[in-house]
């Protein structure tokens, strides 16, 4: 009922709607309406009330509420089920729990703040309150475990394309999972899976985007490597709108992938990549070498041409781009 009342208020915005009209169209008592209005106010919605005129919505809070994300969301399944938390340890951890309990394909977990946001290999992902988009998408494609890394590629393309289009600033993808603006990291992706030997049960695509973070508020350990969309564009970014665009793009690319068109996604990745044709240093767990990143393969691996001309495929590791002279 609360969300139906909210929907009515939005429909009438910026005008008033009378208590009587709400009561008639939703078949609910005036006292119940008042209680729901109070609850909406507690959620951060600003609603004016006038004795004979009724109610008027004057401000929607800057929060990633499911009802806001779902409002006019143009997807069939991605983001149609939303689990929202004001604070959580990590959306990837919660997404795994939900997937283990049968969450449907396309479910997302979204939060305002992560207390144990995670990067790869147990690294930390800094996720301050109300300033970013920290979310995880659960997908259940019928693929083999070797195909899972393709989801990092797919998600990178989705985020980079949307930032270019929606915010109008130029992004690049650094293999395997970083989205950069002006050579600094604005987004990281953590793809995890649950699988048997030859079948994926589910994929979790965790995406963290620094949206409205002041450069000065990044902690010392990342202030030289991180940036945010507001810092780069010079204006505050509408997080709900941005997330809706990303969910739409993720669904479209996922459809391409499951219909056998991963090549199309790879072609877009090559266009957006800041790694291809660049001198790079690759750091793996036990090894480090340099070369030119010449291509990305179907399996999501990066092809490096070493100085002796030999080509080698890299499946995981850290890429450092040579500094511009
Ligand atoms: C990543 O790991 O870049 C993957 C980050 C994925 C975060 C999302 S948020 C929603 C979901 N839930 C989670 O718990 N995680 C996912 P990696 O490539 O390992 O990079 C981690 C490194 O990036 C850290 O060691 C820092 O150097 C740096 N870093 C940490 N927080 C950052 C931030 N907010 N912005 C930019 N860089 C950051």
């Amino acid at each position: 009922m609360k969300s139906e009342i909210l929907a009515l208020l939005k429909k009438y915005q910026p005008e008033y709607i009378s208590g009587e009209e709400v009561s008639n169209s939703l078949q609910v008592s005036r006292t119940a309406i008042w209680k729901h209005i109070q609850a909406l106010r507690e959620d951060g919605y600003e609603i004016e009330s006038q004795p004979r005129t009724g109610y008027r919505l004057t401000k929607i809070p800057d929060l990633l509420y499911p009802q806001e994300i779902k409002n006019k969301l143009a997807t069939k399944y991605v983001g149609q089920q939303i689990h929202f938390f004001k604070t959580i340890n990590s959306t990837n951890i919660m997404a795994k729990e939900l997937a283990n309990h049968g969450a449907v394909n396309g479910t997302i977990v979204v939060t305002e703040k992560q207390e144990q946001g995670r990067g790869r290999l147990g690294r930390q992902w800094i996720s301050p309150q109300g300033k970013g988009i920290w979310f995880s998408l659960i997908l259940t494609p019928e693929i083999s475990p070797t195909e899972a890394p393709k989801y990092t590629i797919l998600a990178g393309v989705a985020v980079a394309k949307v930032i270019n289009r929606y915010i109008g600033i130029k992004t690049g993808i650094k293999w395997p999972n970083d989205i950069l603006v002006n050579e600094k990291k604005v987004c990281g992706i953590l793809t995890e899976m649950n699988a048997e030997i030859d079948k994926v049960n589910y994929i979790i695509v965790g995406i963290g985007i620094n949206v409205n973070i002041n450069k000065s508020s990044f902690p010392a350990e990342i202030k030289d490597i991180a940036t945010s969309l507001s810092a780069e564009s010079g204006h505050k970014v509408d997080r709900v709108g941005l997330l809706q665009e990303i969910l739409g793009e993720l669904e479209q690319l996922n459809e391409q992938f499951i219909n056998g068109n991963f090549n199309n996604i790879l072609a877009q990745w090559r266009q957006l990549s800041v790694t291809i044709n660049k001198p790079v240093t690759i750091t793996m767990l036990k090894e480090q070498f340099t070369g030119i990143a010449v291509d990305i393969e179907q399996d999501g691996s990066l092809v490096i041409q070493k100085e002796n001309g030999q080509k080698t495929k890299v499946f995981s590791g850290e890429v450092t781009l040579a500094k511009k002279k």
Side-chain angles (χ1 to χ4, degrees):
M1 184 48 69
K2 192 168 88 176
S3 53
E4 286 174 52
I5 293 176
L6 179 62
L8 264 186
L9 289 171
K10 280 187 180 164
K11 195 170 147 200
Y12 277 73
Q13 206 187 12
E15 302 299 329
Y16 279 91
I17 175 168
S18 71
E20 195 183 348
E21 267 181 281
V22 181
S23 170
N24 288 342
S25 46
L26 300 177
Q27 295 300 312
V28 62
S29 74
R30 303 285 284 268
T31 332
I33 296 171
W34 176 251
K35 280 193 188 140
H36 289 302
I37 295 279
Q38 283 304 98
L40 284 167
R41 285 176 173 151
E42 275 159 31
D43 290 345
Y45 291 89
E46 287 178 21
I47 301 164
E48 281 178 13
S49 50
Q50 291 282 342
R52 266 172 294 280
T53 330
Y55 301 103
R56 184 163 80 116
L57 179 63
T58 53
K59 196 166 170 215
I60 295 172
D62 176 16
L63 291 167
L64 297 167
Y65 280 145
Q67 65 267 22
E68 297 303 329
I69 298 168
K70 281 180 76 170
N71 185 26
K72 301 191 189 121
L73 177 65
T75 60
K76 290 203 279 298
Y77 55 92
V78 170
Q80 290 299 336
Q81 294 292 326
I82 304 176
H83 296 260
F84 169 78
F85 298 87
K86 281 205 166 145
T87 304
I88 202 172
N89 50 6
S90 148
T91 56
N92 267 35
I93 294 176
M94 177 52 81
K96 264 185 243 171
E97 256 178 67
L98 291 166
N100 287 337
H101 289 91
V104 297
N105 188 37
T107 299
I108 64 166
V109 180
V110 57
T111 191
E112 292 294 335
K113 176 184 176 187
Q114 293 187 120
E115 281 171 344
Q116 288 165 43
R118 293 186 306 135
R120 293 175 299 152
L121 305 168
R123 288 188 284 239
Q124 186 196 9
W125 183 259
I126 291 159
S127 323
Q129 168 91 41
K131 306 276 183 210
I133 296 179
W134 328 120
F135 82 105
S136 302
L137 167 64
I138 302 170
L139 291 169
T140 55
E142 288 180 10
I143 56 170
S144 79
T146 52
E147 291 198 280
K150 291 182 177 174
Y151 272 96
T152 302
I153 305 293
L154 184 158
V157 171
V159 174
K161 271 176 85 175
V162 170
I163 294 175
N164 288 346
R165 184 173 74 214
Y166 188 79
I167 324 263
I169 51 179
K170 199 169 175 309
T171 55
I173 308 176
K174 182 163 86 73
W175 188 92
N177 65 326
D178 293 354
I179 308 293
L180 308 182
V181 178
N182 285 328
E183 297 177 21
K184 294 197 171 166
K185 189 160 168 173
V186 78
C187 164
I189 298 162
L190 176 66
T191 305
E192 298 183 284
M193 70 169 158
N194 177 299
E196 288 153 41
I197 294 282
D198 52 7
K199 175 182 165 287
V200 164
N201 297 321
Y202 58 79
I203 298 268
I204 308 286
V205 186
I207 300 180
I209 309 172
N210 302 328
V211 183
N212 294 317
I213 307 182
N214 284 336
K215 270 195 159 168
S216 58
S217 60
F218 280 116
E221 66 262 35
I222 60 166
K223 78 175 184 15
D224 295 333
I225 56 163
T227 191
S228 75
L229 296 178
S230 62
E232 297 298 329
S233 67
H235 59 78
K236 190 176 174 204
V237 172
D238 167 19
R239 290 184 302 151
V240 170
L242 179 64
L243 178 55
Q244 288 174 325
E245 293 284 318
I246 291 171
L247 296 174
E249 194 67 43
L250 283 167
E251 181 169 291
Q252 279 189 22
L253 295 180
N254 189 46
E255 287 299 299
Q256 290 182 19
F257 177 32
I258 56 187
N259 290 322
N261 291 329
F262 188 66
N263 267 333
N264 186 16
I265 297 168
L266 276 184
Q268 296 180 62
W269 192 94
R270 288 186 188 99
Q271 292 287 318
L272 292 160
S273 163
V274 294
T275 324
I276 297 296
N277 295 327
K278 297 278 166 57
V280 292
T281 302
I282 305 289
T283 309
M284 300 196 292
L285 285 179
K286 293 186 179 147
E287 193 189 348
Q288 191 180 57
F289 60 91
T290 55
I292 307 280
V294 285
D295 201 8
I296 185 161
E297 293 264 311
Q298 271 284 337
D299 55 16
S301 64
L302 192 67
V303 184
I304 309 293
Q305 182 158 29
K306 292 187 175 171
E307 271 145 31
N308 61 10
Q310 188 199 345
K311 284 185 185 166
T312 181
K313 279 167 69 163
V314 179
F315 289 91
S316 65
E318 233 42 72
V319 172
T320 319
L321 299 168
K323 284 270 168 246
K324 276 186 193 158
K325 296 244 167 72

